[in-house]
Amino acid sequence: QSVLTQPPSASGTPGQRVTISCSGSSSNIGNNYVYWYHQLPGTAPKLLIYRNNQRPSGVPDRFSGSKSGTSASLAISGLRSEDEADYYCAAWDDSLSGRVFGGGTKLTVL
Amino acid sequence: QVQLQESGPGLVKPSETLSLTCTVSGGSVSSGTYYWSWIRQPPGKGLEWIGYIYYRGSTKYNPSLKSRVTISVDTSKNQFSLKLTSVTAADTAAYYCARDNLDAATGFDYWGQGTLVTVSS
């Protein structure tokens, strides 16, 4: 049971815009930054979004993050086949005094 | 370019201690900017933060693992290590080391490739 809640799956067709949600509480998302990572099969996760909506250099602007209250979202526009991966949200949790992750969302490009 | 590389046994017997080392290149574990972390992922499941160490030796652990986990740092070798005692099959996972910039809030920006550790007799 993950501290942050994500839908287990999402899908879209090439060119579409998809969003992945991440729900938490006041001890994590509500009071701290949200991060997003994506993970291709058999590889290590890679940072996609930090500080709710900032992209590291090299991450296309097709990826965007937002946060409102105790929830956050990752949006992917102009969906491509190479976006097919697992996506994880993360935050610091003040109650646990540590990093917490969502359970992950498997994105399928149809 | 910062690189992290995990090393250690891929097979550990139940009740024994899992020991892994992360070697950092292209950067220094002595940097006061970063927290050096361990994260694991059971096969087919999600990510779980294990804990971190700061170069001065201060640590923070996941409460669910705290009684069994020790993370240490060796600045002379530019490495940090993980020990997990009394392992069971539930500890079978890919173990990743990663760099976390808590203060600047830039997240886990560099990861090792991960190493699969299987707990089995």
Side-chain angles (χ1 to χ4, degrees):
Chain A
Q1 195 83 1
S2 300
V3 174
L4 306 180
T5 301
Q6 297 179 237
S9 63
S11 63
T13 56
Q16 262 191 334
R17 182 177 187 270
V18 298
T19 60
I20 297 172
S21 62
C22 176
S23 177
S25 68
S26 57
S27 68
N28 42 67
I29 292 178
N31 205 34
N32 295 289
Y33 289 120
V34 177
Y35 305 81
W36 290 92
Y37 302 87
H38 72 158
Q39 184 179 33
L40 297 171
T43 68
K46 180 182 174 183
L47 180 66
L48 206 55
I49 297 287
Y50 66 97
R51 274 195 240 138
N52 303 332
N53 54 20
Q54 301 298 302
R55 286 184 306 276
S57 62
V59 174
D61 59 6
R62 301 187 297 107
F63 295 89
S64 61
S66 63
K67 173 184 141 175
S68 178
T70 59
S71 294
S73 292
L74 173 71
I76 308 171
S77 60
L79 199 61
R80 298 182 178 183
S81 58
E82 58 260 38
D83 297 331
E84 193 162 282
D86 293 326
Y87 291 81
Y88 293 91
C89 60
W92 181 265
D93 189 288
D94 294 328
S95 297
L96 297 175
S97 198
R99 291 286 197 196
V100 291
F101 287 95
T105 298
K106 183 175 183 61
L107 175 63
T108 300
V109 180
L110 302 169
Chain B
Q1 179 79 344
V2 176
Q3 292 186 316
L4 291 83
Q5 179 68 57
E6 304 89 351
S7 59
L11 181 64
V12 181
K13 289 183 169 56
S15 80
E16 295 190 344
T17 297
L18 179 160
S19 296
L20 296 174
T21 296
C22 182
T23 300
V24 179
S25 57
S28 173
V29 296
S30 299
S31 167
T33 308
Y34 304 108
Y35 294 74
W36 303 94
S37 301
W38 288 97
I39 296 151
R40 70 180 184 178
Q41 183 174 35
K45 296 187 178 180
L47 301 168
E48 179 181 35
W49 177 75
I50 298 171
Y52 69 62
I53 188 164
Y54 189 55
Y55 81 103
R56 290 181 178 175
S58 61
T59 54
K60 187 83 76 174
Y61 301 132
N62 186 322
S64 68
L65 299 169
K66 189 175 181 178
S67 63
R68 299 193 292 130
V69 172
T70 302
I71 298 177
S72 58
V73 65
D74 186 337
T75 55
S76 67
K77 294 182 179 179
N78 216 31
Q79 296 175 334
F80 61 106
S81 299
L82 168 71
K83 288 191 187 303
L84 182 65
T85 62
S86 305
V87 297
T88 70
D91 296 309
T92 293
Y95 285 76
Y96 297 97
C97 57
R99 189 180 83 169
D100 192 0
N101 192 332
L102 273 173
D103 297 334
T106 51
F108 298 112
D109 56 357
Y110 288 96
W111 296 66
Q113 65 184 26
T115 186
L116 177 63
V117 178
T118 301
V119 178
S120 175
S121 55

